[in-house]
Amino acid sequence: MTEQPAGLQQRVADAIEPHAIAESRHRILNAFTDQKLLLLAQVAGVGRATNVLDLACGKGELLCRWAQEYGSIGHGVDLWQPFVNAARARADELGVSAAVSFEQGDAGEYRAAPASYDLACCMGATWIGGGVGGTIALLRPALRPGGLIIIGEPYWIDPPPDEAYDALGFGPDEFASLPGLLDRFEAAGAELIELVMADPSCWDRYVGAQWATLRAWLDAHPSHPRHEQLSARLVTERRGYLTYQRRYLGWGAFVLRAD
């Protein structure tokens, strides 16, 4: 029997809600600072009326800040309605709601009008296409001739010890080394032309803020059905980050030509 939409929505909510609670105070939902986000726009040549598509856009900070700072326009798609609501509120706050729009939907199923964007992005959510290559294939048809793709993706700094994979919840092949990531880009027919990399302090601010947010939420909701689950998550993710993630896992945004 095909699962009914209401059942699917509940499964999605069950999977996303813990993550959404941990990032409820975040504007950028990956290991980037505002300064890095703006630098990425500069190296990608974002300017007035650059039309940007952002799949799995989260709270829309990329589109909103680029519109505010550089006069770009664009559209974002995200599966989680509270993030879409936050993105629209952020656009109103920054006075760019006429320049950017957001919709709730499965980014992996979204099909933009062909050749309608100058830049197509997926920042840290290549699962929408089943990996880097599939996500490039999702984004490529939306580009005008000469348009660019930006992929945000973790990578292994060095091969971690075997016990790290269980601690981090990632398999060894889920991410690649930087040369391995280059291989994935090239296998997808894309040329790497620029990059902006997170540094350890970016990771610290991203992950540390999650710990603080989770602790505040746990203190405020002692009887919540997810209290035990999120309390355990806080303990295990904090130790996993300090033991393995900070040392072995990097994050970067990679600017690609995919003509």
Side-chain angles (χ1 to χ4, degrees):
M1 178 181 295
T2 301
E3 184 173 21
Q4 296 301 308
L8 175 60
Q9 291 170 7
Q10 185 60 54
R11 284 202 308 110
V12 169
D14 288 344
I16 294 178
E17 186 181 9
H19 184 67
I21 290 170
E23 294 194 332
S24 60
R25 298 179 182 178
H26 288 59
R27 286 178 174 165
I28 301 172
L29 306 185
N30 52 59
F32 252 20
T33 61
D34 184 70
Q35 292 77 14
K36 296 277 188 180
L37 193 66
L38 297 183
L39 175 60
L40 179 61
Q42 294 167 22
V43 303
V46 174
R48 186 159 299 281
T50 300
N51 200 2
V52 182
L53 174 66
D54 190 6
L55 295 186
C57 66
K59 297 181 182 178
E61 191 72 1
L62 179 150
L63 288 173
C64 291
R65 288 289 282 128
W66 287 7
Q68 180 191 40
E69 289 292 323
Y70 305 110
S72 58
I73 59 177
H75 185 66
V77 181
D78 199 89
L79 190 61
W80 186 233
Q81 186 65 54
F83 285 172
V84 174
N85 296 342
R88 291 170 177 161
R90 183 64 166 156
D92 289 340
E93 177 187 0
L94 297 183
V96 296
S97 55
V100 296
S101 58
F102 300 95
E103 68 175 272
Q104 187 276 330
D106 183 344
E109 298 296 327
Y110 183 78
R111 299 296 182 265
S116 53
Y117 291 92
D118 303 300
L119 182 61
C121 306
C122 180
M123 297 287 284
T126 57
W127 48 265
I128 67 171
V132 167
T135 301
I136 291 171
L138 282 176
L139 296 171
R140 181 185 275 116
L143 291 178
R144 295 168 178 158
L148 299 175
I149 286 173
I150 297 178
I151 295 290
E153 181 76 355
Y155 62 91
W156 295 119
I157 298 169
D158 287 305
D162 290 343
E163 64 269 18
Y165 299 119
D166 287 339
L168 297 176
F170 304 130
D173 297 326
E174 188 161 349
F175 306 123
S177 65
L178 281 174
L181 194 51
L182 180 61
D183 291 340
R184 293 182 181 186
F185 295 149
E186 293 177 347
E191 179 187 2
L192 177 64
I193 60 170
E194 257 286 12
L195 73 171
V196 177
M197 307 300 280
D199 56 41
S201 65
C202 295
W203 271 122
D204 293 344
R205 297 280 37 84
Y206 174 56
V207 175
Q210 290 185 15
W211 302 343
T213 300
L214 276 173
R215 171 44 57 202
W217 187 92
L218 290 166
D219 290 345
H221 300 86
S223 301
H224 193 279
R226 289 191 181 271
H227 189 278
E228 183 177 353
Q229 173 196 4
L230 290 178
S231 181
R233 170 180 173 147
L234 175 58
V235 171
T236 58
E237 290 194 357
R238 184 165 52 206
R239 182 163 295 277
Y241 176 74
L242 294 174
T243 306
Y244 301 113
Q245 183 173 331
R246 196 178 192 273
R247 177 177 176 183
Y248 292 105
L249 196 64
W251 199 91
F254 303 90
V255 183
L256 310 170
R257 283 192 56 171
D259 294 339

